[in-house]
Amino acid sequence: MPAIVLIGAQWGDEGKGKATDLLADRIDYVVKFNGGNNAGHTVVVGDEKYALHLLPSGILTPGVTPVIANGVVIDLEVLFAELDALSARGIDVSRLKVSANAHVITLYHRTLDKVTERFLGKRQIGTTGRGIGPTYADKINRVGIRIQDIFDEGILRQKVESALEVKNHLLVKIYNRRAIHADEVVNELLSYADRLRPLVADTALELHRALDSGKTVLFEGGQATMLDVDHGTYPFVTSSNATAGGASTGSGIGPNRVDRVIAVVKAYTTRVGSGPFPTELFDESGEFLRKTGFEFGTTTGRPRRCGWYDAPIARYTARINGVTDFVLTKLDVLTGLAEIPVCVAYDVDGTRFDEMPVNQSDFHHAKPIYEMFPGWTEDITGVRSFDDLPKNAQAYVRALEAMSGARFSAIGVGPARDAIVVLHDLV
Ligand code: GDP
Ligand code: IMO
Ligand code: MG
């Protein structure tokens, strides 16, 4: 089972970091293939808590080679700050490989992300402000800066100058900000060149060789299916392909190499930022989920919007990604609820939709149709086998599984590394 893709099933923060960490002692490589430091993964190891943004979560396990592949956008200041912070805590980060083709987030991308959001006012996307969208826009527009450009000062300067020629017009004339000088950007990027050089590799070639020699590679998606630029709730999405297909384009391995697609799904739903969210709660139930599940962003600290499990979204995720296994997380958060509603379909202006409507306005109007499940009161954080879960918790999990389009292979019952019930081996 050499190539495994792990992705988010909902709008992010499903617990992908913990799931990756869980698998890491059985894998050789962990590859981040999309996004950048907009991601925030919290991994709890014993008494230690790690918050990772740009680095893949598998980096915490000794012996694993972490890879930042071509599909990622890299903020070099964040990269080295994160590496230094992990090193200071005794984590070996020396194996990290960075693709020469990955794009670089510069000062002007971060600035443009913030000013365009402010300019949008009420229509803002609620981005993380890390420069993700403008960097991917430049990539698609063929005016981006790549990691390899940093090693050729002449080319770097030429590219930065020509990008700034247009962007300074925007910054000064439209957004009323100061112009950015090319030297400022070029000098900052060049200051990382010496530290960066030994990390840079042809990561696609290295991953091919690893797979050919029987190594196990885990492709760890950032963000999630509903935030995917093609398949999510556009325009309220991130700017990359967070779905399983992104693992192929974002790392340079053929789609036929992927053996398994694991989707991480929360036992309820959360979302950060703007955009439609049919099961969102505005009452004390939403407050309960936020407080009990500690639903505050790892990256921006924003309170996450909370709502019930949405089965049409899980089925959509199963289809779009070719999901073979779900990891259900945070079941413990639901403990204590008398009844747990699950969205089984939508009512859109009087018409029933059993599946995700393709039309965005329909999804904006979608009202959840709920089925109710009885809750449980027993503390489940110490449970390690499915049969030891309260009967109502078992029934809830089996009902979700039946509605979600793929088998449930593991169930998270707490934030700790070992707080998991495994039903089917994932590696
Ligand atoms: P990611 O972005 O998908 O990696 O998820 P985040 O780390 O942003 O958010 C998930 C949060 O839930 C983290 O704080 C995890 O420590 C925590 N977590 C993961 N699995 C479980 C679980 O099964 N139960 C509980 N209570 N917390 C969990
Ligand atoms: P992980 O990997 C949750 C959301 C932002 C915003 C939208 C676009 O931790 O699950 P961007 O800065 O990417 O242009 O913002 O996407 N967003 C996330 N929400 N978890 C994430 O990552 C996210 N990464 C981006 O809140 O709505
Ligand atoms: Mg997160």
Side-chain angles (χ1 to χ4, degrees), residues 169-188:
H169 281 294
L170 268 177
L171 283 173
V172 174
K173 294 185 183 148
I174 310 278
Y175 297 120
N176 206 16
R177 301 281 296 225
R178 73 169 179 93
I180 291 174
H181 203 284
D183 283 341
E184 203 179 333
V185 177
V186 170
N187 292 340
E188 193 202 331

Side-chain angles (χ1 to χ4, degrees), residues 34-117:
N34 77 302
N37 57 313
N38 48 347
H41 308 302
T42 301
V43 182
V44 182
V45 183
D47 294 337
E48 298 280 316
K49 193 165 164 178
Y50 298 89
L52 297 158
H53 297 286
L54 181 53
L55 296 167
S57 312
I59 198 164
L60 298 177
T61 302
V64 173
T65 301
V67 175
I68 296 181
N70 58 277
V72 175
V73 289
I74 301 177
D75 186 321
L76 289 165
E77 188 183 348
V78 173
L79 175 70
F80 291 116
E82 221 165 274
L83 287 173
D84 289 344
L86 287 180
S87 293
R89 294 175 73 177
I91 305 283
D92 174 17
V93 296
S94 63
R95 281 196 188 76
L96 178 71
K97 297 273 187 294
V98 176
S99 167
N101 288 343
H103 280 247
V104 178
I105 302 177
T106 71
L107 169 64
Y108 51 84
H109 297 113
R110 288 189 297 267
T111 306
L112 280 167
D113 193 356
K114 288 182 191 129
V115 294
T116 45
E117 279 281 280

Side-chain angles (χ1 to χ4, degrees), residues 235-393:
F236 301 103
V237 292
T238 190
S239 300
S240 69
N241 284 117
T243 44
S248 178
T249 49
S251 73
I253 57 123
N256 56 342
R257 302 213 77 151
V258 175
D259 304 279
R260 209 156 192 183
V261 179
I262 300 169
V264 185
V265 69
K266 233 180 253 195
Y268 50 96
T269 311
T270 63
R271 174 163 205 172
V272 196
S274 320
F277 179 0
T279 64
E280 183 170 13
L281 294 163
F282 299 96
D283 57 9
E284 64 279 10
S285 302
E287 238 356 277
F288 172 87
L289 293 174
R290 191 172 304 113
K291 241 180 106 189
T292 319
F294 199 68
E295 296 297 354
F296 297 89
T298 311
T299 298
T300 55
R302 288 179 288 179
R304 294 173 181 153
R305 299 157 67 192
C306 296
W308 302 121
Y309 192 83
D310 187 321
I313 285 179
R315 284 198 294 278
Y316 180 74
T317 280
R319 288 198 296 280
I320 294 289
N321 296 288
V323 172
T324 58
D325 302 79
F326 276 107
V327 172
L328 182 73
T329 59
K330 302 191 106 165
L331 184 64
D332 54 299
V333 174
L334 301 180
T335 300
L337 293 166
E339 273 195 312
I340 309 166
V342 172
C343 170
V344 296
Y346 307 117
D347 178 287
V348 181
D349 304 325
T351 304
R352 182 182 166 111
F353 278 68
D354 287 301
E355 302 302 334
M356 270 274 297
V358 69
N359 188 303
Q360 198 205 335
S361 306
D362 287 343
F363 194 59
H364 274 270
H365 292 186
K367 298 264 179 298
I369 298 173
Y370 285 120
E371 203 175 308
M372 304 301 284
F373 292 86
W376 59 91
T377 53
E378 300 90 329
D379 178 8
I380 60 169
T381 53
V383 172
R384 297 292 176 269
S385 113
F386 188 76
D387 295 335
D388 293 337
L389 285 171
K391 287 285 167 278
N392 285 348

Side-chain angles (χ1 to χ4, degrees), residues 7 16 32 79 96 104 106 139 143 151 153 163 174 176 204 222-223 231 260 316 327 338 348 400-401 406 411:
I7 51 99
K16 297 176 293 291
K32 181 173 167 99
L79 175 70
L96 178 71
V104 178
T106 71
K139 171 178 172 172
V143 292
F151 305 112
E153 186 174 345
I174 310 278
N176 206 16
Q223 294 76 51
H231 301 290
R260 209 156 192 183
Y316 180 74
V327 172
V348 181
L400 297 193
E401 183 178 41
I411 302 160

Side-chain angles (χ1 to χ4, degrees), residues 174-251:
I174 310 278
Y175 297 120
N176 206 16
R177 301 281 296 225
R178 73 169 179 93
I180 291 174
H181 203 284
D183 283 341
E184 203 179 333
V185 177
V186 170
N187 292 340
E188 193 202 331
L189 297 180
L190 288 177
S191 74
Y192 297 112
D194 288 341
R195 257 196 103 178
L196 190 57
R197 196 173 280 108
L199 309 179
V200 177
D202 182 347
T203 51
L205 180 64
E206 182 149 348
L207 291 172
H208 273 276
R209 289 187 173 148
L211 287 169
D212 282 349
S213 66
K215 298 259 195 297
T216 302
V217 181
L218 179 73
F219 296 88
E220 178 189 342
Q223 294 76 51
T225 304
M226 301 305 282
L227 288 172
D228 181 282
V229 68
D230 281 273
H231 301 290
T233 47
Y234 190 89
F236 301 103
V237 292
T238 190
S239 300
S240 69
N241 284 117
T243 44
S248 178
T249 49
S251 73

